[in-house]
Protein backbone atom coordinates (compact mmCIF):
# COMPACT_ATOMS: atom_id res chain seq x y z
CA UNK A 1 0.00 0.00 0.00
CA UNK A 2 2.94 2.32 -0.37
CA UNK A 3 1.24 4.02 -3.29
CA UNK A 4 -1.88 4.90 -1.27
CA UNK A 5 -2.51 8.62 -1.27
CA UNK A 6 -4.86 10.19 1.30
CA UNK A 7 -6.08 13.71 0.58
CA UNK A 8 -9.00 16.08 0.96
CA UNK A 9 -11.47 16.20 -1.90
CA UNK A 10 -11.79 19.24 -4.12
CA UNK A 11 -14.73 20.48 -6.15
CA UNK A 12 -13.22 18.74 -9.19
CA UNK A 13 -13.61 15.34 -7.45
CA UNK A 14 -17.32 15.51 -6.66
CA UNK A 15 -18.78 13.74 -9.69
CA UNK A 16 -16.21 10.95 -9.28
CA UNK A 17 -17.08 10.64 -5.58
CA UNK A 18 -20.82 10.43 -6.29
CA UNK A 19 -20.26 7.72 -8.92
CA UNK A 20 -17.92 5.88 -6.53
CA UNK A 21 -20.51 5.82 -3.75
CA UNK A 22 -22.97 4.08 -6.08
CA UNK A 23 -20.47 1.21 -6.36
CA UNK A 24 -18.81 1.18 -2.95
CA UNK A 25 -21.14 2.69 -0.34
CA UNK A 26 -23.88 0.79 1.45
CA UNK A 27 -27.25 2.46 1.02
CA UNK A 28 -28.01 5.96 -0.16
CA UNK A 29 -28.42 9.28 1.55
CA UNK A 30 -30.67 12.23 0.88
CA UNK A 31 -27.44 14.24 0.53
CA UNK A 32 -25.94 12.01 -2.18
CA UNK A 33 -26.19 14.61 -4.90
CA UNK A 34 -23.92 17.23 -6.38
CA UNK A 35 -25.45 20.09 -4.37
CA UNK A 36 -25.16 18.25 -1.06
CA UNK A 37 -21.54 17.25 -1.50
CA UNK A 38 -20.65 20.64 -2.96
CA UNK A 39 -22.02 22.33 0.17
CA UNK A 40 -20.02 19.97 2.39
CA UNK A 41 -16.73 20.74 0.62
CA UNK A 42 -17.46 24.48 0.48
CA UNK A 43 -18.29 24.61 4.20
CA UNK A 44 -15.45 22.36 5.37
CA UNK A 45 -12.83 21.71 2.66
CA UNK A 46 -11.05 19.04 4.71
CA UNK A 47 -14.12 16.99 5.70
CA UNK A 48 -14.33 14.71 2.67
CA UNK A 49 -11.22 12.55 2.68
CA UNK A 50 -10.25 10.43 -0.32
CA UNK A 51 -7.93 7.46 -0.76
CA UNK A 52 -6.36 6.98 -4.17
CA UNK A 53 -4.15 4.27 -5.63
CA UNK A 54 -2.56 4.74 -9.01
CA UNK A 55 -4.68 7.86 -9.53
CA UNK A 56 -7.91 5.89 -9.00
CA UNK A 57 -10.38 6.61 -6.20
CA UNK A 58 -10.47 3.55 -3.92
CA UNK A 59 -12.01 4.91 -0.71
CA UNK A 60 -13.75 7.79 1.06
CA UNK A 61 -14.74 8.97 4.49
CA UNK A 62 -16.48 12.13 5.64
CA UNK A 63 -14.94 13.42 8.87
CA UNK A 64 -17.32 16.14 9.99
CA UNK A 65 -16.56 18.27 13.04
CA UNK A 66 -19.08 20.83 14.25
CA UNK A 67 -16.85 22.28 16.97
CA UNK A 68 -18.24 19.91 19.56
CA UNK A 69 -18.63 16.41 18.13
CA UNK A 70 -16.82 14.34 15.55
CA UNK A 71 -19.03 12.49 13.07
CA UNK A 72 -17.95 9.91 10.52
CA UNK A 73 -19.97 9.17 7.41
CA UNK A 74 -19.52 7.45 4.09
CA UNK A 75 -16.59 5.22 4.96
CA UNK A 76 -16.52 3.33 1.70
CA UNK A 77 -13.85 1.21 0.05
CA UNK A 78 -14.15 -0.16 -3.47
CA UNK A 79 -15.36 -3.78 -3.22
CA UNK A 80 -12.28 -5.05 -5.10
CA UNK A 81 -9.92 -3.25 -2.69
CA UNK A 82 -11.38 -4.19 0.67
CA UNK A 83 -9.33 -5.84 3.43
CA UNK A 84 -6.14 -4.12 2.25
CA UNK A 85 -5.91 -1.43 4.94
CA UNK A 86 -7.55 1.37 2.95
CA UNK A 87 -10.41 1.84 5.39
CA UNK A 88 -7.96 1.85 8.29
CA UNK A 89 -5.84 4.50 6.58
CA UNK A 90 -8.92 6.65 5.97
CA UNK A 91 -10.04 6.32 9.59
CA UNK A 92 -6.54 7.17 10.83
CA UNK A 93 -6.60 10.36 8.71
CA UNK A 94 -10.07 11.24 10.00
CA UNK A 95 -9.09 10.64 13.62
CA UNK A 96 -5.91 12.71 13.21
CA UNK A 97 -8.05 15.53 11.82
CA UNK A 98 -10.42 15.33 14.78
CA UNK A 99 -7.60 15.40 17.34
CA UNK A 100 -6.01 18.36 15.55
CA UNK A 101 -9.35 20.21 15.76
CA UNK A 102 -9.83 19.38 19.45
CA UNK A 103 -12.31 16.54 19.04
CA UNK A 104 -12.60 14.01 21.83
CA UNK A 105 -14.80 11.20 20.51
CA UNK A 106 -15.74 10.05 17.06
CA UNK A 107 -19.04 8.45 16.17
CA UNK A 108 -20.17 6.68 13.05
CA UNK A 109 -23.54 5.92 11.56
CA UNK A 110 -23.69 2.32 10.33
CA UNK A 111 -26.75 0.69 8.83
CA UNK A 112 -28.05 -2.18 10.95
CA UNK A 113 -28.13 -4.46 7.90
CA UNK A 114 -24.51 -3.64 6.97
CA UNK A 115 -22.81 -6.54 8.74
CA UNK A 116 -19.47 -6.14 6.95
CA UNK A 117 -19.48 -2.45 7.83
CA UNK A 118 -20.20 -3.25 11.46
CA UNK A 119 -17.29 -5.69 11.47
CA UNK A 120 -14.97 -3.03 10.02
CA UNK A 121 -15.99 -0.45 12.62
CA UNK A 122 -15.49 -2.95 15.46
CA UNK A 123 -12.07 -3.86 14.08
CA UNK A 124 -11.18 -0.15 14.13
CA UNK A 125 -12.04 0.05 17.83
CA UNK A 126 -15.55 1.52 17.61
CA UNK A 127 -18.41 0.02 19.61
CA UNK A 128 -22.16 0.35 19.19
CA UNK A 129 -24.06 2.31 21.79
CA UNK A 130 -27.38 0.53 21.89
CA UNK A 131 -28.85 2.94 24.45
CA UNK A 132 -28.92 5.76 21.85
CA UNK A 133 -31.44 6.05 19.06
CA UNK A 134 -31.11 8.20 15.98
CA UNK A 135 -34.06 10.53 15.38
CA UNK A 136 -34.54 11.84 11.86
CA UNK A 137 -36.76 14.40 10.19
CA UNK A 138 -36.38 15.16 6.51
CA UNK A 139 -36.36 18.92 5.96
CA UNK A 140 -36.99 18.84 2.23
CA UNK A 141 -39.61 16.91 0.26
Amino acid sequence: MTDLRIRAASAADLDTVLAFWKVAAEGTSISDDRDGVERLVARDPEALILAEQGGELVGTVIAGFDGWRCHLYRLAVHPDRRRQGIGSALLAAAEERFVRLGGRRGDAMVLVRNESGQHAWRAAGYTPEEHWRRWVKHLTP
Side-chain angles (χ1 to χ4, degrees), residues 15-37:
D15 291 329
T16 301
V17 168
L18 289 165
F20 177 80
W21 285 343
K22 289 180 180 176
V23 172
E26 180 73 26
T28 58
S29 168
I30 194 170
S31 302
D32 285 359
D33 59 27
R34 175 90 186 180
D35 289 341
V37 181

Side-chain angles (χ1 to χ4, degrees), residues 3 10 17 26 39 44 49 51 60 63 69 91 121 129:
D3 65 334
S10 70
V17 168
E26 180 73 26
R39 275 191 303 279
D44 186 351
I49 302 171
T60 67
R69 294 204 174 139
L91 284 178
W121 285 104
E129 289 192 352

Side-chain angles (χ1 to χ4, degrees), residues 40-64:
L40 169 69
V41 171
R43 182 184 176 282
D44 186 351
E46 295 181 356
L48 177 53
I49 302 171
L50 308 181
E52 297 174 322
Q53 273 185 326
E56 179 185 343
L57 180 62
V58 295
T60 67
V61 69
I62 297 173

Side-chain angles (χ1 to χ4, degrees), residues 75-98:
L75 176 62
V77 174
H78 191 281
D80 295 339
R81 305 286 178 91
R82 292 182 181 156
R83 304 200 48 83
Q84 297 176 22
I86 296 167
S88 295
L90 284 163
L91 284 178
E95 291 167 359
E96 288 169 15
R97 168 179 155 75
F98 291 152

Side-chain angles (χ1 to χ4, degrees), residues 50-138:
L50 308 181
E52 297 174 322
Q53 273 185 326
E56 179 185 343
L57 180 62
V58 295
T60 67
V61 69
I62 297 173
F65 182 64
D66 60 14
W68 184 33
R69 294 204 174 139
C70 308
H71 303 287
L72 295 155
Y73 307 93
R74 282 295 187 233
L75 176 62
V77 174
H78 191 281
D80 295 339
R81 305 286 178 91
R82 292 182 181 156
R83 304 200 48 83
Q84 297 176 22
I86 296 167
S88 295
L90 284 163
L91 284 178
E95 291 167 359
E96 288 169 15
R97 168 179 155 75
F98 291 152
V99 169
R100 189 174 68 248
L101 294 171
R104 298 180 186 174
R105 176 183 67 190
D107 66 54
M109 292 179 28
V110 184
L111 290 170
V112 172
R113 71 174 187 261
N114 185 354
E115 291 182 26
S116 63
Q118 290 180 41
H119 176 75
W121 285 104
R122 271 186 176 72
Y126 290 76
T127 57
E129 289 192 352
E130 302 298 339
H131 58 278
W132 292 99
R133 180 149 322 240
R134 181 175 179 224
W135 293 61
V136 176
K137 178 182 179 182
H138 291 276

